Amino acid sequence: MFERPDAGERAILVHLNLQYDQEDLDELKELTKSAGAEPVFVVTGSRHRPDPKHFVGLGKLDEIREAIAEHEANIVIFNHPLSPSQERNIEKALSIRVVDRNGLILDIFAQRAQTFEGKLQVELAQLKHLSTRLIRGWTHLERQKGGIGLRGPGETQLETDRRLLAVRIKQIQQRLDKVQKQRHQGRSKRKKAEVPTVSLVGYTNAGKSTLFNTLTGAEIYAANQLFATLDPTLRQLNLENGNSLILADTVGFIRHLPHELVAAFRSTLQEASEADLLLHVIDAAANDRDDTIFQVNQVLKDIEADKVPQLRVYNKIDLLEHVEPHIDYGDDGKPIAVWLSAQQQLGCDLLHQALAELFAESKVRRQCLLQPSQLGIKAKLFNYVHIISEEFDADGNTHLVFEIDQKNLGLIKNIETEAA
């Protein structure tokens, strides 16, 4: 087996037009640059279906080999998912490191993760991806030791690696389960306090982190590259009408997001599925704007967040001609889209206005008297209302003053009847 380089910087890109699947070549170039490699040549072609052994035909394989020699490349990146056997066969034929699209995205995520949770999530995704590819580069360890005095315990190195890999995956999953419980507790507290949560979602590099920084004054990393930030950040945002909400920045989406990543980042993406509103940030100047909107909605469907109300935010309007910041309203008179530029801070006040209008539910203030024997009623009230004041008299009675959304009044009618 050939020696693999520690890192590949000069990359040959392979992009095929397939009848059943179309990937974006420009996106592959951006992904390659985001991973720290330099695309030096692109091999393109068309096939009805992939070759089961090498994905490409033998003629195209020779073309890739010639491009490697001519451009002194040390890595080949396919713009398609490859099976473990295809990766192994291509590497053997070309004597060079081969990475498919999913592996490339996983590598970028590994570079970007900063928090403990983020690193665990990326490691979990990488290990699940690697578990089917352990045989690559380890063929010299597949044979049992034989002969007198050389018989081992009966387990090959490859089997040992697989067993250790399974143990590590289980450990990481247990840790992430604890993190998910903590996130669930945090969301429960916010709901109990009647603080709505708004999650920023959108295609990677649409400007979510820049918009988040502009709205909240946070200083999370933002750059003109794919997957600049991975780790979720939550900040409180105060609106002009006196209401406040929690704004959550989430990982950017991409077409055909690897299943390993969707599974590993499920606890993070749950911030979107359990939000009260999604701010769908869109690159208004992108040529494939409609397609990216469709791809984001597909991922939202995968994580069961497609039923959450959306407010579209068309960002980067400074790159368009004759487009001023404005709000689009639906037939019901509610905002459905805001056009702005987060980097130039144009129209951000309109987004504040739209959010204030969407969360302008009229609150009703009520009061009630609870006797010492009615503490169970008090516990029920805490699930639906925001307590303004709580006082106790000499007889041990509790005087409560609370606020509740108009839409939730029906939920406490039975409770108020019990209190009376």
Side-chain angles (χ1 to χ4, degrees), residues 341-352:
S341 171
Q343 188 175 45
Q344 302 298 325
Q345 299 189 12
L346 300 173
C348 293
D349 56 329
L350 297 178
L351 180 56
H352 273 271

Side-chain angles (χ1 to χ4, degrees), residues 129-179:
H129 184 74
L130 181 63
S131 62
T132 59
R133 289 162 165 78
L134 265 184
I135 195 171
R136 298 190 313 145
W138 293 90
T139 52
H140 62 292
L141 297 173
E142 286 182 310
R143 291 182 293 275
Q144 297 274 11
K145 289 184 177 181
I148 297 175
L150 295 176
R151 303 184 197 281
E155 184 175 51
T156 65
Q157 179 65 51
L158 187 60
E159 290 168 341
T160 303
D161 289 340
R162 283 175 176 158
R163 177 170 50 80
L164 294 176
L165 200 66
V167 171
R168 179 59 179 163
I169 288 175
K170 184 177 180 181
Q171 290 174 342
I172 295 175
Q173 191 62 64
Q174 289 174 342
R175 292 184 183 181
L176 286 175
D177 288 343
K178 291 182 180 179
V179 173

Side-chain angles (χ1 to χ4, degrees), residues 199 201 253 266 269-275 277-278 296-310:
S199 286
V201 299
F253 298 159
R266 185 163 295 278
L269 296 173
Q270 201 168 2
E271 292 291 349
S273 62
E274 297 192 10
L277 177 71
L278 299 179
V296 169
N297 287 329
Q298 284 295 107
V299 177
L300 290 175
K301 186 176 181 180
D302 291 341
I303 63 173
E304 300 177 354
D306 52 323
K307 304 299 183 183
V308 181
Q310 285 190 25

Side-chain angles (χ1 to χ4, degrees), residues 235-247:
R235 292 288 187 275
Q236 180 171 318
L237 178 64
N238 296 318
L239 303 177
E240 296 176 356
N241 60 358
N243 291 340
S244 62
L245 53 84
I246 298 297
L247 196 63

Side-chain angles (χ1 to χ4, degrees), residues 374-388:
Q374 296 177 308
L375 292 180
I377 298 175
K378 176 181 172 182
K380 292 179 182 178
L381 277 173
F382 271 49
N383 290 325
Y384 303 107
V385 306
H386 174 58
I387 302 298
I388 302 298

Side-chain angles (χ1 to χ4, degrees), residues 250-401:
T250 60
V251 62
F253 298 159
I254 195 170
R255 59 172 55 84
H256 302 155
L257 195 65
H259 293 297
E260 297 96 338
L261 285 176
V262 174
F265 280 78
R266 185 163 295 278
S267 62
T268 300
L269 296 173
Q270 201 168 2
E271 292 291 349
S273 62
E274 297 192 10
D276 297 287
L277 177 71
L278 299 179
L279 286 189
H280 184 169
V281 184
I282 302 162
D283 184 351
N287 294 327
D288 57 347
R289 185 174 74 190
D290 293 338
D291 182 51
T292 59
I293 293 173
F294 173 79
Q295 297 297 337
V296 169
N297 287 329
Q298 284 295 107
V299 177
L300 290 175
K301 186 176 181 180
D302 291 341
I303 63 173
E304 300 177 354
D306 52 323
K307 304 299 183 183
V308 181
Q310 285 190 25
L311 174 65
R312 291 188 178 184
V313 180
Y314 289 91
N315 189 26
K316 305 184 183 182
I317 63 168
D318 54 304
L319 302 179
L320 299 174
E321 295 182 357
H322 312 301
V323 177
E324 297 294 330
H326 65 277
I327 301 177
D328 292 336
Y329 289 89
D331 295 335
D332 58 357
K334 292 184 178 181
I336 58 174
V338 180
W339 297 72
L340 53 77
S341 171
Q343 188 175 45
Q344 302 298 325
Q345 299 189 12
L346 300 173
C348 293
D349 56 329
L350 297 178
L351 180 56
H352 273 271
Q353 177 185 329
L355 290 172
E357 292 179 22
L358 289 172
F359 289 101
E361 296 284 350
S362 58
K363 292 183 179 292
V364 178
R365 181 166 294 198
R366 294 288 180 90
Q367 58 183 0
C368 67
L369 173 66
L370 298 177
Q371 298 176 1
S373 61
Q374 296 177 308
L375 292 180
I377 298 175
K378 176 181 172 182
K380 292 179 182 178
L381 277 173
F382 271 49
N383 290 325
Y384 303 107
V385 306
H386 174 58
I387 302 298
I388 302 298
S389 65
E390 181 180 9
E391 297 180 356
F392 304 92
D393 59 24
D395 297 326
N397 298 319
T398 304
H399 297 262
L400 285 179
V401 178

Side-chain angles (χ1 to χ4, degrees), residues 4-10 74-75 97:
R4 296 181 188 161
D6 294 332
E9 294 184 351
R10 295 177 62 80
N74 47 19
I75 187 171
R97 186 184 175 204

